[in-house]
Amino acid sequence: MWKHRFSAAAALLLIAACAPPPLDGVSNALAACQRGAQHDEIRDSGTVVRVLGYGGSHEGFLLMIPLAAGNGSDRVLRAFRVEDNTDITGPIPLHAGERIAFQGQFECSDDAIHWTHRDPAGRHIDGYIEADGKTYR
């Protein structure tokens, strides 16, 4: 009878090999766009500047996100539009000045953030918005 023993280091390597790669923040997504990417999966946070309202099954808001600038130690603030599918998440009660975290897809064509919800068809990485202690998927 063979007994297999794994060291803690071997177990961590196995877990790390199975884990998905870390997602980029908006700063890295902008750099990916400059290199020719069409979109980039991102996870970041920012402050709601303005709620834009509803249009069909989507709601939008402007989010101020700090970006790395120059040597990387400086930060600049820039606003980005976020679109959320309310048919999936339901309306998200956001207000100006609120800090949120999110995961979604940065679209290089319009510098907007989409897919901040789950994909019921399972064809896309699930996104989310975390606001006021709740996660909207």
Side-chain angles (χ1 to χ4, degrees), residues 18-63:
C18 297
L23 298 179
D24 285 339
V26 174
S27 292
N28 289 340
L30 289 168
C33 293
Q34 289 178 342
R35 292 189 305 271
Q38 293 179 7
H39 51 79
D40 195 18
E41 298 299 325
I42 59 171
R43 181 180 300 137
D44 215 324
S45 61
T47 303
V48 176
V49 177
R50 183 173 164 209
V51 177
L52 301 173
Y54 299 94
S57 63
H58 286 76
E59 65 184 341
F61 56 94
L62 294 179
L63 191 63

Side-chain angles (χ1 to χ4, degrees), residues 12 33 65 77 81 90 93 112 126 131:
L12 287 174
C33 293
I65 299 173
L77 292 174
R81 189 177 84 248
D126 288 346

Side-chain angles (χ1 to χ4, degrees), residues 17-121:
C18 297
L23 298 179
D24 285 339
V26 174
S27 292
N28 289 340
L30 289 168
C33 293
Q34 289 178 342
R35 292 189 305 271
Q38 293 179 7
H39 51 79
D40 195 18
E41 298 299 325
I42 59 171
R43 181 180 300 137
D44 215 324
S45 61
T47 303
V48 176
V49 177
R50 183 173 164 209
V51 177
L52 301 173
Y54 299 94
S57 63
H58 286 76
E59 65 184 341
F61 56 94
L62 294 179
L63 191 63
M64 191 68 71
I65 299 173
L67 304 174
N71 62 13
S73 62
D74 296 330
R75 295 277 188 201
V76 295
L77 292 174
R78 182 169 162 201
F80 294 91
R81 189 177 84 248
V82 179
E83 296 289 330
D84 183 60
N85 188 326
T86 56
D87 286 347
I88 297 172
T89 63
I92 302 174
L94 298 173
H95 59 275
E98 183 173 7
R99 184 118 174 108
I100 69 162
F102 65 90
Q103 180 173 305
Q105 181 172 286
F106 185 85
E107 293 292 337
C108 298
S109 62
D110 63 0
D111 280 0
I113 300 160
H114 300 275
W115 286 100
T116 56
H117 52 79
R118 64 182 164 72
D119 179 7

